[in-house]
Amino acid sequence: MPRVGVLLAVCLVAALVVAAFVLPVPEPVRLRAWASGAGAAAPALIFLAYVVATLVPIPRTVFSLASGLLLGPVLGVAVALVATAVSGLLSFALARSLGRRVVARHLTRASVRAVDERLTVGGWLAVASLRMIPAIPFLPTNYACGLSSVRTRHFLAGTIAGSVPGTIAVVVLGDTLTGGTPPALLAAFAVCALAGAAGLWFAIRRHRVSAHPVSPQL
């Protein structure tokens, strides 16, 4: 699955590069003007494209950038976050309804059971921590959570909470494509990665403490 996502991303970037040389690409300001003139149709189309595309291994960063470029920072963040939640729930439900029965027999293995228990005990914090690490892809995480025993409400809360920082940074970057890239955006990605790793470590450590309580000293 990750190789397919990388291949699709490379093909998408290559297609965009070829289109940039072959087709007359409008300036970002004109694209924003077109989206503003389209009224409610623009956010609706971006929302649908965002949800459908992220149900396959296509990086959602591309659509977060497009949301910021076409809709601006406020509406762009709102559309990107709602689409992220909807897409995440759809793939989560798909994995839970179809794949859970297939992998149920493997949950007796110690390694698989350990991962399942860490996600379940960690709850929304474990999911949010995974979302905040840029190197962890969106769609495989949805499937992994759907195959685990994590509750749906914890998955949704963790997905939204963990996606907020990175989504805001990418949407704002899309909004500022006509100018320079603020150095603060690069720092935002680093902060998100560190915060996600720290949160994931805390969730795992909390699980270990709860699984192996310290006996009181007499």
Side-chain angles (χ1 to χ4, degrees):
M1 185 68 71
R3 293 182 179 179
V4 176
V6 172
L7 180 60
L8 288 175
V10 171
C11 292
L12 180 60
V13 172
L16 291 176
V17 171
V18 172
F21 284 99
V22 176
L23 301 176
V25 180
E27 296 179 356
V29 176
R30 293 185 178 181
L31 290 174
R32 174 71 64 82
W34 170 84
S36 300
L45 289 175
I46 294 175
F47 172 81
L48 290 176
Y50 202 122
V51 171
V52 172
T54 49
L55 288 176
V56 295
I58 296 180
R60 68 185 188 93
T61 304
V62 176
F63 298 92
S64 296
L65 281 170
S67 298
L69 173 63
L70 298 175
L71 304 179
V74 178
L75 184 57
V77 168
V79 170
L81 284 178
V82 174
T84 296
V86 172
S87 176
L89 275 179
L90 288 176
S91 51
F92 174 87
L94 180 64
R96 176 146 297 185
S97 60
L98 299 180
R100 180 71 178 181
R101 286 171 288 183
V102 176
V103 301
R105 61 180 180 272
H106 298 294
L107 292 177
T108 56
R109 298 180 181 180
S111 58
V112 177
R113 189 172 63 250
V115 174
D116 181 70
E117 290 177 354
R118 287 173 182 175
L119 275 174
T120 304
V121 174
W124 73 270
L125 178 59
V127 178
S129 301
L130 293 174
R131 295 299 190 197
M132 294 179 71
I133 302 177
I136 298 181
F138 178 72
L139 188 62
T141 303
N142 298 339
Y143 289 148
C145 291
L147 296 176
S148 73
S149 300
V150 66
R151 296 183 178 182
T152 303
R153 66 175 182 270
H154 291 166
F155 170 80
L156 180 60
T159 294
I160 295 175
S163 299
V164 166
T167 300
I168 291 177
V170 176
V171 170
V172 171
L173 175 60
D175 181 55
T176 58
L177 283 179
T178 53
T181 302
L185 288 176
L186 298 178
F189 280 111
V191 170
C192 288
L194 291 175
L200 186 60
W201 175 85
F202 176 78
I204 294 175
R205 182 173 178 81
R206 186 176 64 176
H207 167 70
R208 289 178 177 174
V209 172
S210 61
H212 304 285
V214 179
S215 302
Q217 299 293 331
L218 298 178

